[in-house]
Amino acid sequence: MTTTNTVSMPLTPVAPGRWTTLAGPEWRNPGGGLWGGYAIGLAIRVLEAEPEATGEALSLTLTYIDRLPAGELDIRTRRLRQGGSIGVWEVEFYPAGSDQVGVHAIVTQARRPQTPEFAFAVMPETPPPESLPHAKPFGDGRHFGASAFERRTLDGFPPQVGTSSRSLAWVRSTRGPLDKALLGMITDNSAPRAMYALGPMINNTTLSLTAYLHATTEEIAAVGDDFILVECEGRVGAGGASDERSSYWRRDGKLLATSEQLAWYRAVRPNPPE
């Protein structure tokens, strides 16, 4: 058994369908739990290392059940079904030594055949990223995986209360050329949409996130170290839940991925006077 280490995600197999990893502090949220995008990238990484998995990640749905702490994690992988082209896997993340699932993922793996291409979606017209200043990281620059990505904002950042939740930003990896795991992580790299309606004093927790990785491994690799465009908007929030949908574009207009997210939000309670 050997340990693989890609993008600071060391993976050590300990038994069939069982792995361990060490999540560094750079992947933490300020509140102490791991950033949700880390789990997305890790789910892709572990199935890339899983000897029984075939094809590449096509879609992922993650449910964030409980807070995962930084440090040692246990990972369990289980194949639910394998057809000729499509396989479905379950991936679960636990704090080391615990039986409490922190994050649960269902991942669809696929062998990608050659088929006629079509596209109805059109990439927004934007200035090139080189013409834009570096954006200040959202929140504490040591958290949310901020050290792994460079961001240059066109519109809608930092969040301002108004009539629109749309934001546009160029993002690129600082941890090497873009790949499926890094692209998956970027799908949880935008500010919560509730902040565009209610302001920054909002607590947000991702309940579930689904990422659709339309591009093949080769099409994503063609990005290299370049930027991709992230287009994000929210539609509605009520009863503590708000939604978000995003698109991720290669510079030449190729749609690489889309995502849908449901978040739980609460107003931050002011500290009572002493």
Side-chain angles (χ1 to χ4, degrees):
M1 294 183 181
T2 60
T3 298
T4 60
N5 191 349
T6 52
V7 197
S8 299
M9 291 182 177
L11 288 167
T12 302
V14 295
R18 299 291 186 269
W19 310 74
T20 61
T21 191
L22 181 64
E26 67 272 21
W27 303 117
R28 293 173 62 247
N29 287 332
L34 287 173
W35 168 51
Y38 172 83
I40 300 170
L42 187 59
I44 296 172
R45 280 280 184 261
V46 73
L47 289 182
E48 288 175 342
E50 170 59 63
E52 298 298 320
T54 60
E56 58 188 73
L58 180 61
S59 71
L60 307 88
T61 297
L62 285 85
T63 302
Y64 296 86
I65 300 167
D66 198 5
R67 187 177 72 170
L68 279 176
E72 294 186 6
L73 302 177
D74 293 335
I75 308 169
R76 299 179 186 177
T77 57
R78 183 167 70 101
R79 185 174 59 196
L80 301 180
R81 183 184 183 277
Q82 181 63 55
S85 297
I86 302 294
V88 180
W89 284 78
E90 182 180 56
V91 183
E92 294 177 328
F93 303 109
Y94 302 77
S98 172
D99 290 329
Q100 173 59 55
V101 178
V103 178
H104 175 271
I106 295 294
V107 184
T108 300
Q109 297 277 117
R111 296 186 179 97
R112 306 298 296 272
Q114 292 290 331
T115 54
E117 295 188 9
F118 63 91
F120 298 109
V122 178
M123 178 179 172
E125 292 187 8
T126 63
E130 293 81 6
S131 68
L132 302 169
H134 291 252
K136 182 181 179 181
F138 179 70
D140 189 329
R142 297 171 299 173
H143 299 111
F144 298 112
S147 64
F149 302 103
E150 176 186 349
R151 187 181 184 94
R152 302 201 180 187
T153 299
L154 293 107
D155 186 33
F157 191 86
Q160 300 289 332
V161 176
T163 59
S164 174
S165 69
R166 186 170 182 260
S167 63
L168 288 169
W170 290 100
V171 178
R172 72 174 170 184
S173 165
T174 60
R175 298 291 185 95
L178 192 71
D179 60 16
K180 284 234 169 188
L182 287 165
L183 177 60
M185 295 170 79
I186 292 173
T187 63
D188 194 35
N189 193 242
S190 298
R193 297 298 106 173
M195 291 184 176
Y196 292 80
L198 305 173
M201 299 303 291
I202 294 292
N203 282 327
N204 283 266
T205 300
T206 300
L207 297 177
S208 65
L209 188 151
T210 297
Y212 302 104
L213 305 178
H214 307 296
T216 65
T217 298
E218 293 75 20
E219 290 168 336
I220 296 170
V223 175
D225 296 315
D226 199 7
F227 288 89
I228 64 171
L229 182 67
V230 179
E231 179 185 17
C232 185
E233 66 176 349
R235 289 164 292 193
V236 67
S242 66
D243 81 324
E244 174 185 313
R245 63 179 177 183
S246 303
S247 300
Y248 308 85
W249 307 86
R250 202 166 64 186
R251 195 190 289 244
D252 63 1
K254 172 74 175 178
L255 183 60
L256 301 175
T258 55
S259 67
E260 290 273 352
Q261 183 173 162
L262 186 69
W264 191 249
Y265 68 92
R266 286 284 189 272
V268 176
R269 294 181 180 177
N271 293 325
E274 295 182 359

